Amino acid sequence: MSDDIKKGLMGVIVDETSISKVMPEINSLTYRGYAAQDLCANCNFEEVAYLILNKELPNKKQLLKFVKQERNERKLSKTLLNVIKEMPKKSHPMDVARTAVSVMGLEDKETTDNSPDANLRKTMRIFAKTPVALAAFYRLRKGKKIISPKKNLSFAENFFYMCFGKVPQKDIVKAFDVSLILYAEHSFNVSTFTARTITSSLSDIHGAITGAIASLKGPLHGGANEEVMHMMNKIKRPENALKWINNALENKSVVMGFGHRVYKSGDSRVPTMREYFGKVAKIKKDKKFEKIYDIVEKVMIDRKNIHPNVDYPTGPTYHLMGFDTDFFTPIFVISRIIGWSAHIIEQHATNKLIRPLAAYNGSHYRKVSQIKDR
Ligand code: CMC
């Protein structure tokens, strides 16, 4: 293959963005200039969502307005609720999220308006309704009654409440909130690039987010947090971890939750999420997954110099919180809707159709023969 071909667009800078900056050389990630770990320590998810969408941290009044808007948009239409009720119970919740956003696009009065204000209003609707749609499916497939959202609960509390019927202790909610902050935005990753590519033809935000969800589902991207849990369940006990990971490396397997296209010496989000994983494990009095985590991580770094990415600690954290494994990537979705939307708005503001070239390596020129002669 010619050196001119940048397979996977590796190392290619395709555009500018003012939303987030990934700095692998100093292991840092900033949203609108603020370090993600600083935001985790000092803000809740709603404040960070506001920041990503509106470029500045909110003051009290702005935050109240934003929170109110989100809470007022949580209700699902009858049509969407019926669609969710009719979905096969075995559907992957990522497909449920994708379909739900697509249905929202059919219903939204502003679907074809790509102005920044309309896109912000649509973002709030998608942001508010997607967790409600997912939680409804979470309950329905277990044969349980749907729990309606509550306006006096925060975004994170409300998600727990709609899935489990109760809000856990505040340290668990904080750990979940931190995971949402860390998942909210990460520059030109594959799902965001998908959203920007769809937007570049001047298509709409519902279509772009629908495509982004499909992209996030894959195990090389967001789907990795589910795969991490499958791996941990296969390992089962800390005593098995060393043998398991050594075998995996002998067999040249891809170990989920490790490696990154941009970070080569560690994902800046991991230390923060690792800390909260530890807090949740302590509250739940279950150290098994932490022990497995540490053993696998050590071997991956010692033998391969490959470091964990953010999906490695989020997987077992969500498990300890009580979520079904196939809901881990949908949790990523309810947060990343914010990053995707900011990128969609930015793409519209500075749009150029995304249309790369390919080097052709198929058949030489040939003439069509008649069907009787083939
Ligand atoms: N397990 C084993 N070997 C790995 C891994 C891994 N997780 N990641 C990279 N490598 C090896 C890979 O085999 C290759 O070795 P060699 O040069 O001998 O062929 C080398 O490291 C370079 O890897 P690559 O796949 O060419 O690098 P990439 O930039 O194309 O891939 C990646 C990045 C994330 C797709 C890859 O690291 C991977 O498949 N990781 C597992 C899936 C995963 O955890 N994805 C989450 C990504 S970050 C958070 C998110 O987006 O959700």
Side-chain angles (χ1 to χ4, degrees):
M1 191 181 297
S2 151
D3 284 349
D4 294 341
I5 298 172
K6 306 291 177 212
K7 189 97 172 153
L9 295 181
M10 198 153 173
V12 177
I13 298 172
V14 295
D15 207 339
E16 293 179 322
T17 182
S18 66
I19 303 167
S20 68
K21 187 174 182 191
V22 182
M23 290 161 278
E25 55 300 330
I26 54 163
N27 203 15
S28 177
L29 164 68
T30 55
Y31 299 161
R32 306 283 190 192
Y34 296 102
Q37 54 273 44
D38 196 7
L39 292 167
C40 287
N42 293 296
C43 299
N44 63 24
F45 175 55
E46 285 90 328
E47 287 172 86
V48 176
Y50 182 100
L51 166 73
I52 293 170
L53 292 172
N54 297 291
K55 305 183 184 169
E56 295 296 341
L57 279 168
N59 59 29
K60 259 193 180 163
K61 200 173 152 204
Q62 290 165 325
L63 181 64
L64 267 174
K65 191 175 165 205
F66 181 79
V67 163
K68 200 170 161 198
Q69 258 181 318
E70 185 270 313
R71 294 180 189 193
N72 283 341
E73 293 288 2
R74 286 178 182 170
K75 201 169 181 304
L76 303 186
S77 71
K78 265 202 176 130
T79 311
L80 178 50
L81 259 176
N82 284 336
V83 170
I84 295 167
K85 284 179 186 163
E86 291 298 320
M87 283 172 181
K89 300 288 170 283
K90 284 193 171 150
S91 308
H92 193 290
M94 283 299 278
D95 300 339
V96 172
R98 195 194 64 220
T99 307
V101 173
S102 201
V103 173
M104 288 175 215
L106 300 176
E107 299 186 312
D108 202 298
K109 285 191 212 81
E110 296 187 290
T111 298
T112 55
D113 185 347
N114 286 327
S115 65
D117 286 348
N119 271 339
L120 273 177
R121 288 191 293 272
K122 286 184 278 183
T123 298
M124 290 310 283
R125 297 196 271 274
I126 299 168
F127 178 49
K129 291 182 204 316
T130 307
V132 184
L134 279 162
F137 183 71
Y138 193 88
R139 305 277 305 174
L140 283 170
R141 73 173 185 182
K142 291 177 190 291
K144 294 184 174 171
K145 263 186 79 178
I146 295 175
I147 299 176
S148 302
K150 262 193 179 170
K151 280 192 184 173
N152 62 338
L153 297 178
S154 72
F155 187 86
E157 287 169 339
N158 187 50
F159 193 64
F160 278 107
Y161 173 70
M162 291 186 299
C163 289
F164 303 122
K166 55 181 191 264
V167 178
Q169 63 192 95
K170 78 176 189 338
D171 289 343
I172 300 273
V173 176
K174 176 65 187 171
F176 188 73
D177 214 57
V178 162
S179 78
L180 297 179
I181 293 173
L182 294 174
Y183 268 148
E185 161 56 13
H186 210 235
S187 195
F188 274 47
N189 57 82
V190 54
S191 59
T192 301
F193 190 60
T194 302
R196 291 192 74 127
T197 304
I198 292 171
T199 304
S200 82
S201 72
L202 301 183
S203 189
D204 58 78
I205 192 166
H206 289 88
I209 292 184
T210 300
I213 294 172
S215 169
L216 189 75
K217 184 185 177 192
L220 296 188
H221 190 15
N225 60 10
E226 295 177 21
E227 296 298 330
V228 166
M229 204 57 230
H230 294 312
M231 174 181 85
M232 293 213 171
N233 284 332
K234 266 187 224 153
I235 296 174
K236 266 197 187 104
R237 284 190 290 275
E239 309 84 270
N240 302 337
L242 196 60
K243 189 171 172 211
W244 190 93
I245 183 65
N246 280 322
N247 271 344
L249 293 183
E250 297 315 317
N251 295 330
K252 305 222 173 303
S253 306
V254 174
V255 182
M256 290 298 166
F258 284 86
H260 199 275
R261 174 60 65 81
V262 184
Y263 300 114
K264 293 299 176 196
S265 55
D267 179 330
S268 66
R269 301 163 292 183
V270 168
T272 311
M273 201 58 228
R274 173 67 183 88
E275 182 193 331
Y276 281 90
F277 166 38
K279 288 183 187 196
V280 173
K282 196 166 171 206
I283 294 167
K284 295 287 177 184
K285 297 189 176 59
D286 186 346
K287 296 268 178 182
K288 180 178 88 173
F289 295 111
E290 258 195 309
K291 287 181 186 155
I292 295 175
Y293 180 107
D294 289 341
I295 296 166
V296 172
E297 179 188 44
K298 185 171 185 325
V299 173
M300 284 299 284
I301 295 173
D302 288 353
R303 284 191 57 182
K304 301 280 289 183
N305 196 25
I306 297 178
H307 293 255
N309 57 56
V310 69
D311 293 321
Y312 191 51
T314 53
T317 308
Y318 292 150
H319 174 80
L320 290 170
M321 287 172 175
F323 290 105
D324 296 344
T325 304
D326 61 0
F327 259 72
F328 297 179
T329 320
I331 295 171
F332 194 157
V333 167
I334 63 175
S335 160
R336 188 55 67 87
I337 282 169
I338 293 299
W340 290 330
S341 301
H343 278 275
I344 290 162
I345 292 166
E346 188 176 69
Q347 182 70 36
H348 274 301
T350 59
N351 191 51
K352 181 87 181 162
L353 179 76
I354 297 172
R355 204 301 184 191
L357 298 173
Y360 178 70
N361 67 356
S363 306
H364 288 298
Y365 178 80
R366 41 192 179 158
K367 273 202 159 306
V368 177
S369 54
Q370 294 302 302
I371 196 159
K372 64 179 171 40
D373 302 326
R374 281 178 237 156

